[in-house]
């Protein structure tokens, strides 16, 4: 897939920048909303129908995260060789294929392979799409430049909302094969998302001059606290996202209430990312924004662990957690844009995403092992809370640096 370069989006003003970012936002809709987070809705029926342990269920997300690590590590190189637009669009197309393939088999190792492949392709799409979003408002002040990034990241919340509507309906209509229908419908939706993604990518110019595929040593060192924060944050938040639906079902909440929980979480994510975090991430210095994000997400985990097993506790958790969890990638992308030279933005976002993915690979597996123990799923989610506190502490060590 190729596209003809268009003039920079900033020439058309703020409305053009937002529309461009909305097209690019199809990337996180598929990469995270469908491929990663919708698995939380499909985990209980797949766990039951396919006779998995929670360690096996967590291993599925670990396979996805391992693919994500490799994809994120190679994203800058692929973007350099193919161009940002081509790498983004082909990765998104292959992500749709991986979702469709997941509906085609019940064999554990085949599903593991498709989850790995989906992780790889969606990482490339997400990283390169993030780099495209940082270029939508090139030359604008830091607050305006952060808005397209926030719009792009809000695609995750939109994907969660769509999954929260589509997957429960598929599970209800499909019976024992409902989980297959859920993956199938998300795959079809991903194919449809290619057109707006292409239109958005067409409006973002390729970077002028050479751009690096790796960071220099001093550029890595200046962002060490953010790398540590992102590993811990990734492990903490994805453990919650993987197992919270299973916990709510275990505590007696029905399928309709779980669907409402997922939709509320997605709406809270999209609204907060657009209305709050785009402004805060561009305004707060150093690691203050990332520390605030981890602290808020930690508070979002607590209601389902400390309050009685009622719908109110689940919805409170959905609102608070949803308001913060996608602010993490937003803040990390803004930090890379603000503290690194333009020619290494893609490489910086890729390396930060690798750190994020390492946490996402380890978190669900360890949380799943804890969930298989005497303490049950709640014990695994306490690990999530502890990791998020550690992430907030690590973020406070990040200092502001000039991109020079």
């Amino acid at each position: 897939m190729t596209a003809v370069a268009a003039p920079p989006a900033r020439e058309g003003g703020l409305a053009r920048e937002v529309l461009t970012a909305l097209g690019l936002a199809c990337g996180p809709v598929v990469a995270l909303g469908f491929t990663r987070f919708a698995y939380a809705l499909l985990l209980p029926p797949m766990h039951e129908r396919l006779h998995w342990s929670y360690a096996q269920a967590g291993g599925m997300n670990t396979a996805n995260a391992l693919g994500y690590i490799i994809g994120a590590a190679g994203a800058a190189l692929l973007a350099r060789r193919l161009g940002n637009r081509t790498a983004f669009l082909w990765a998104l197309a292959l992500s749709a294929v991986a979702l469709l393939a997941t509906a085609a088999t019940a064999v554990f190792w085949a599903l593991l392979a498709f989850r790995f492949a989906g992780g790889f392709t969606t990482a490339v799409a997400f990283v390169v799409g993030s780099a495209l979003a940082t270029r939508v408002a090139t030359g604008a002040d830091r607050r305006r430049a952060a808005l397209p990034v926030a719009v792009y990241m809000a695609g995750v919340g939109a994907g969660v909302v769509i999954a929260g509507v589509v997957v429960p309906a598929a599970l209800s209509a499909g019976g024992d094969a409902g989980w297959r229908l859920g993956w199938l419908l998300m795959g079809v939706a991903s194919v449809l998302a290619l057109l707006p993604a292409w239109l958005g990518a067409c409006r973002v110019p390729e970077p002028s001059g050479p751009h690096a595929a790796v960071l220099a040593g001093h550029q890595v060192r200046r962002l060490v606290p953010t790398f540590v924060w992102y590993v811990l944050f990734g492990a903490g938040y994805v453990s919650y996202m993987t197992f919270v639906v299973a916990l709510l079902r275990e505590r007696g909440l029905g399928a309709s209430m779980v669907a409402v929980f997922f939709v509320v979480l997605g709406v809270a994510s999209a609204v907060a990312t657009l209305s709050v975090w785009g402004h805060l991430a561009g305004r707060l210095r150093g690691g203050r924004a990332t520390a605030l994000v981890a602290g808020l997400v930690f508070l979002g985990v607590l209601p389902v662990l400390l309050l009685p097993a009622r719908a109110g506790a689940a919805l409170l958790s959905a609102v608070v957690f949803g308001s913060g969890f996608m602010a993490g990638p937003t803040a990390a992308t803004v930090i890379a844009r603000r503290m690194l030279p333009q020619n290494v933005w893609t490489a910086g976002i890729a390396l930060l995403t690798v750190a994020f993915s390492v946490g996402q690979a380890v978190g669900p597996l360890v949380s799943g092992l804890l969930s298989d123990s005497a303490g049950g799923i709640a014990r695994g989610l306490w690990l999530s809370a502890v990791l998020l506190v550690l992430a907030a502490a690590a973020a406070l060590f990040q200092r502001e640096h000039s991109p020079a």
Side-chain angles (χ1 to χ4, degrees), residues 292-366:
L292 184 61
V293 168
L296 181 63
V297 174
F298 161 73
L299 293 176
V301 175
L302 294 182
V304 295
L305 294 175
L306 298 179
L307 299 179
R310 295 175 183 169
L315 293 179
L316 176 61
S317 181
V319 170
V320 178
F321 185 95
S323 296
F325 84 105
M326 276 317 297
T330 303
T333 301
V334 170
I335 283 176
R337 189 187 193 282
R338 193 168 71 227
M339 298 192 193
L340 295 173
Q342 184 175 345
N343 70 315
V344 295
W345 282 353
T346 302
I349 293 168
L351 192 56
L352 282 166
T353 305
V354 169
F356 191 38
S357 305
V358 169
Q360 291 183 96
V362 175
L365 183 59
V366 178

Side-chain angles (χ1 to χ4, degrees), residues 23 33-34 51 167 222 238 267 310 312 366:
F34 292 169
H51 309 292
V167 172
R222 66 172 48 181
V238 84
V267 170
R310 295 175 183 169
V366 178

Side-chain angles (χ1 to χ4, degrees), residues 88-269:
F88 172 68
L89 292 168
W90 272 111
L92 199 58
L94 292 173
S95 299
V97 172
L99 285 169
L100 293 169
T102 305
T105 182
V107 177
F108 179 79
W109 294 109
L111 289 170
L112 208 64
F114 292 138
R115 291 291 287 162
F116 175 87
F120 178 89
T121 57
T122 54
V124 175
F126 183 73
V127 169
V128 180
S130 298
L132 288 168
T134 64
R135 299 183 190 280
V136 170
T138 300
D141 63 77
R142 37 190 279 182
R143 293 181 189 176
R144 179 166 170 177
L147 179 59
V149 176
V151 172
Y152 174 80
M153 295 298 176
V156 179
V160 170
V161 171
I162 295 169
V165 173
V166 169
V167 172
L171 295 176
S172 176
D176 288 348
W179 64 270
R180 292 180 186 267
L181 182 59
W183 288 116
L184 177 64
L185 292 176
M186 288 189 292
V188 171
S190 299
V191 172
L192 297 177
L194 290 172
L195 177 59
W198 177 78
L199 293 172
C202 282
R203 296 181 180 274
V204 184
E206 292 288 347
S208 57
H211 56 287
V214 294
L215 295 183
H218 72 280
Q219 293 167 337
V220 174
R221 288 192 294 273
R222 66 172 48 181
L223 292 177
V224 164
T226 298
F227 286 119
V228 175
W229 161 77
Y230 222 6
V231 171
L232 295 168
F233 180 79
Y237 101 96
V238 84
S239 296
Y240 172 97
M241 285 298 295
T242 301
F243 291 108
V244 67
V245 170
L247 176 68
L248 297 179
R249 294 297 298 271
E250 184 181 80
R251 291 182 173 179
L253 291 181
S256 59
M257 189 63 235
V258 168
V260 170
F261 165 86
F262 217 69
V263 170
V264 168
L265 188 149
V267 170
S269 173

Side-chain angles (χ1 to χ4, degrees), residues 19-20 33 127 300 351 370 399:
L19 287 173
T20 300
V127 169
L351 192 56
L370 290 173
R399 298 291 178 261

Side-chain angles (χ1 to χ4, degrees), residues 263-282:
V263 170
V264 168
L265 188 149
V267 170
S269 173
V271 170
T273 302
L274 286 172
S275 62
V276 177
W277 293 109
H279 302 288
L280 278 181

